[in-house]
Amino acid sequence: MSSSSTTANARLQPDSDPVGDAEALIEQGRAGEAASLLREWIAADRGGLMVRLVLARALMESGDSAGALETARETSLLYSNAVAAIVGLGEALLRAGHLTTAIPEFQRAMRLDPENSRAQFLLGCAWLEAGEAEKALEAFEVLASSPETEAKISEARAMLARLRSDPRYVRHLFDQFSADYDARMIGQLSYRAPQILHQLAGLVMPGRQELRILDLGCGTGLTGEAFEEMASQLDGIDLSPAMIEKAHARRIYDELAVSDLESFLVESNRQYDLILAADTLVYLGDLARVFSGAARQLAPDGFFLFTVEKKDGEGFELGPKRRWRHSENYLTALAFQSGLSVAGILECVPRMEANRPVDGFAVALMRGNG
């Protein structure tokens, strides 16, 4: 008998504690060894619920998120009513970045066991990862105080205080809506921002064709489709990978990227004749970085066209739907500070909400030759 077989048999002795041994290995930073040990028990048909749960954890700690998720799914199927299995699946989904499926698992666990603090904590973490700070706080604040929980509460409160919607929230929101986004926006919300911007382009830059165009927050490509005929180069960026997949399917973009628009405008060295942002800047409060980035990326005599929701008076504010509103005074002053001139600003209704018109502005800024 080989030494490896002898070692394996020793591990499988009735008085062995595979869960305890594996947890010790994980604590020592030897998660891969822990996974191998637990797989031996499962291969010998001696792996119960705890063995499988710790195996998923070992795989996560060793960096094998796909293996962890597969193990967690199998465990959830084998022990369909076990709260621990449901929480384990939720955690594997969370670690793999699948927020829209992780959150329902934690909620299901809480329905079965309302006092399950692990499920409650992970639910808060998932909401936080999705950028839903208020829901995260609601989950964390019912838990007993601990350094880990207090740190998460502080993170959620800091998120609420930022002058922009958290990118994780925006990505989560649009990943959720990507499947029926066009039907929802056009049919239910009478979304017209792309058409409004196209009409504005006809007023401020009549006859311009063969343009290098950048579509900020391109979504599924509704705005790109409206401007395709004017483009020699059409690029798009969006935070949501699911939206980018939909935009790819239209086959109208030359290049598409999953990116935060502020970062892209700062880091990219390309120049464009036209930059578009249809119903995108409503997820940002302070637009200083966007305006300065657009000014840097616009070619001479290039235009930046966008829609925002309207605020009366001065400055900007966060509306009840977590969308920012901007005043005309704020937009024009910031344009001047950024080296852009106002070519046009029109009141418009880019969309409906609860069957009521959403008041907005369609704005055209221009970079001069200087």
Side-chain angles (χ1 to χ4, degrees):
M1 183 179 292
S2 68
S3 59
S4 60
S5 299
T6 303
T7 302
N9 288 335
R11 288 175 170 180
L12 297 173
Q13 292 304 308
D15 59 347
S16 298
D17 178 13
V19 170
D21 292 343
E23 288 179 336
L25 288 169
I26 293 171
E27 291 299 317
Q28 295 166 22
R30 299 158 64 189
E33 293 179 47
S36 296
L37 166 64
L38 295 170
R39 278 175 165 154
E40 288 175 12
W41 280 78
I42 292 172
D45 199 23
R46 297 175 64 182
L49 173 60
M50 289 306 301
V51 167
R52 293 173 183 275
L53 290 174
V54 178
L55 172 58
R57 180 184 159 206
L59 292 168
M60 280 188 266
E61 295 299 328
S62 66
D64 184 2
S65 59
L69 187 52
E70 181 182 359
T71 298
R73 284 201 169 110
E74 290 175 354
T75 305
S76 181
L77 288 172
L78 288 169
Y79 302 91
S80 58
N81 293 318
V83 172
I86 298 168
V87 174
L89 175 57
E91 185 169 8
L93 288 164
L94 176 59
R95 292 280 289 268
H98 302 311
L99 297 176
T100 56
T101 46
I103 288 169
E105 293 300 324
F106 297 134
Q107 291 172 328
R108 182 160 73 101
M110 291 302 299
R111 287 194 296 272
L112 292 171
D113 181 7
E115 302 301 318
N116 192 299
S117 59
R118 182 63 178 166
Q120 184 79 20
F121 178 79
L122 290 172
L123 176 61
C125 291
W127 283 128
L128 194 60
E129 183 65 24
E132 294 275 11
E134 292 178 359
K135 292 179 179 178
L137 277 175
E138 184 180 335
F140 290 133
E141 287 179 339
V142 301
L143 293 168
S145 179
S146 71
E148 190 177 26
T149 300
E150 292 302 318
K152 291 295 184 181
I153 288 173
S154 296
E155 186 179 347
R157 286 175 176 163
M159 186 185 295
L160 285 173
R162 291 178 190 149
L163 295 182
R164 61 172 286 171
S165 296
D166 190 273
R168 293 174 295 184
Y169 161 72
V170 179
R171 182 179 66 243
H172 169 67
L173 178 70
F174 285 100
D175 277 347
Q176 279 189 308
F177 291 155
S178 62
D180 62 348
Y181 178 82
D182 289 4
R184 180 191 296 265
M185 293 298 291
I186 297 170
Q188 298 179 22
L189 303 179
S190 301
Y191 176 60
R192 296 190 62 253
Q195 290 72 34
I196 291 169
L197 289 184
H198 191 269
Q199 292 167 9
L200 180 59
L203 293 174
V204 300
M205 47 191 306
R208 294 279 296 271
Q209 295 288 323
E210 297 297 310
L211 302 175
R212 294 164 295 174
I213 299 176
L214 172 62
D215 186 2
L216 298 175
C218 64
T220 63
L222 292 174
T223 302
E225 193 170 65
F227 281 84
E228 180 186 10
E229 63 184 24
M230 297 174 62
S232 62
Q233 171 85 18
L234 180 58
D235 299 338
I237 66 166
D238 200 279
L239 271 175
S240 165
M243 286 291 196
I244 288 290
E245 286 185 17
K246 295 288 185 179
H248 265 297
R250 288 187 190 273
R251 301 184 181 278
I252 60 173
Y253 290 93
D254 294 287
E255 293 190 19
L256 287 164
V258 177
S259 177
D260 174 79
L261 69 89
E262 288 183 319
S263 300
F264 185 89
L265 290 173
V266 169
E267 296 167 4
S268 174
N269 292 318
R270 294 189 178 182
Q271 281 205 317
Y272 292 95
D273 304 302
L274 176 59
I275 297 176
L276 303 166
D279 205 41
T280 297
L281 303 187
V282 295
Y283 296 102
L284 301 169
D286 184 0
L287 299 178
R289 291 187 68 197
V290 175
F291 278 31
S292 63
R296 190 179 73 84
Q297 292 216 348
L298 281 174
D301 294 327
F303 285 83
F304 178 27
L305 271 57
F306 59 89
T307 61
V308 292
E309 294 188 6
K310 176 183 175 182
K311 179 188 182 300
D312 293 323
E314 305 290 332
F316 52 89
E317 66 182 7
L318 187 61
K321 296 294 184 180
R322 297 188 66 179
R323 294 161 61 88
W324 293 89
R325 299 166 177 161
H326 299 85
S327 72
E328 182 175 357
N329 288 343
Y330 172 78
L331 297 170
T332 55
L334 186 58
F336 177 78
Q337 293 170 20
S338 305
L340 299 169
S341 59
V342 178
I345 183 165
L346 306 172
E347 293 192 12
C348 66
V349 177
R351 59 183 280 168
M352 305 288 284
E353 190 74 56
N355 296 318
R356 300 182 64 180
V358 174
D359 294 329
F361 293 117
V363 183
L365 306 181
M366 180 182 178
R367 179 189 165 190
N369 283 300

